Amino acid sequence: MIDARKPAPDADMPVVYIVDDDPSIREALVDLFLSVRTGAKAFESARQLLDTADLERPGCILLDVRLPGANGLDLQAHLEKLGNRMPIIFMTGHGDIPMTVRAMKAGAVDFLAKPFRDQDILDAVSLALQRDREQREQSAANGAVADLAKTLTRREHEVMAAVVKGLMNKQIAFNLGISEITVKLHRGNVMRKMEARSVAELVRKAELLGL
């Protein structure tokens, strides 16, 4: 069952989602994270996590590999299909090297064997929360650039693609069948709309768009 001894953290604060079918481990881990002022919620199964947790908020998942019903690796694969990139740390009481390799290849932050030291789990969670923060910052940056690109006209998109390839205005004009003056006008609009102060900055933003 869900640990409800403490109020839920603020919506912007990261949460460690603990999934383990052993109630003593769930309780010990919740107490550990609360002792270092880190939000924590505990669940006894993967199904319960999926049904009740807000996995869109900042955080990470501390996940036992062997669970009743869907196991930890099944949950990892399911979240991947959903496009959820919340970092996962696996816990196991069994030395299963193939399982460890599979989990790490699928993007797990760490794979810890029980019993583990408190500092080991705190270090792993710190790394996972840092990764989650960086992923969210990158996603926000990508979204902001995509929003800017939506303001461009079709022709401005064409000019931007040519500019980031390193083409000169004369080359762009020839390729698009327009005048060099028109290219300069479109190029100025692109720089303004994309909020790029230099061609180098425009190139970086175009890379985020996959151009």
Side-chain angles (χ1 to χ4, degrees):
M1 59 186 297
I2 300 173
D3 188 291
R5 291 173 299 128
K6 298 289 183 179
D10 294 337
D12 293 334
M13 296 298 292
V15 173
V16 180
Y17 292 111
I18 301 158
V19 188
D20 197 301
D21 60 341
D22 186 330
S24 65
I25 290 179
R26 292 200 304 270
E27 181 175 2
L29 288 172
V30 168
D31 287 342
L32 173 63
F33 292 119
L34 292 179
S35 73
V36 294
R37 300 181 181 275
T38 299
K41 291 187 177 183
F43 306 84
E44 63 186 3
S45 68
R47 183 73 266 163
Q48 187 180 54
L49 174 80
L50 292 172
D51 288 345
T52 60
D54 178 9
L55 298 179
E56 297 303 316
R57 67 176 298 159
C60 68
I61 301 173
L62 190 52
L63 180 61
D64 190 16
V65 168
R66 300 181 185 277
L67 294 166
N71 65 33
L73 294 176
D74 293 334
L75 176 60
Q76 182 186 34
H78 181 69
L79 291 175
E80 179 68 22
K81 289 181 181 178
L82 294 177
N84 187 295
R85 301 175 63 199
M86 181 173 284
I88 295 175
I89 301 164
F90 280 100
M91 305 177 290
T92 181
H94 309 271
D96 192 329
I97 294 177
M99 189 175 289
T100 303
V101 172
R102 178 182 164 191
M104 297 303 287
K105 282 186 175 180
V109 175
D110 208 340
F111 203 106
L112 302 177
K114 300 175 183 176
F116 37 72
R117 296 185 308 130
D118 287 353
Q119 193 58 53
D120 290 338
I121 200 71
L122 291 174
D123 289 344
V125 165
S126 178
L127 179 61
L129 294 179
Q130 178 182 339
R131 179 184 294 186
D132 182 65
R133 182 169 58 254
E134 291 171 350
Q135 287 178 172
R136 290 175 184 277
E137 289 172 353
Q138 186 61 59
S139 178
N142 292 353
V145 171
D147 288 341
L148 293 176
K150 290 177 182 178
T151 67
L152 301 179
T153 65
R154 179 182 61 81
R155 181 66 82 189
E156 287 166 353
H157 271 286
E158 293 172 342
V159 170
M160 179 172 71
V163 169
V164 300
K165 289 179 181 178
L167 298 183
M168 305 296 290
N169 288 344
K170 288 184 178 180
Q171 295 172 302
I172 298 173
F174 177 80
N175 290 344
L176 297 181
I178 57 179
S179 71
E180 188 174 347
I181 292 177
T182 302
V183 170
K184 290 180 179 179
L185 289 173
H186 286 313
R187 184 168 179 156
N189 287 339
V190 168
M191 298 296 285
R192 175 177 54 81
K193 290 182 178 181
M194 292 300 295
E195 298 179 1
R197 292 168 292 182
S198 66
V199 172
E201 185 176 357
L202 183 66
V203 169
R204 288 194 294 272
K205 290 186 174 183
E207 289 175 344
L208 294 178
L209 297 171
L211 296 181

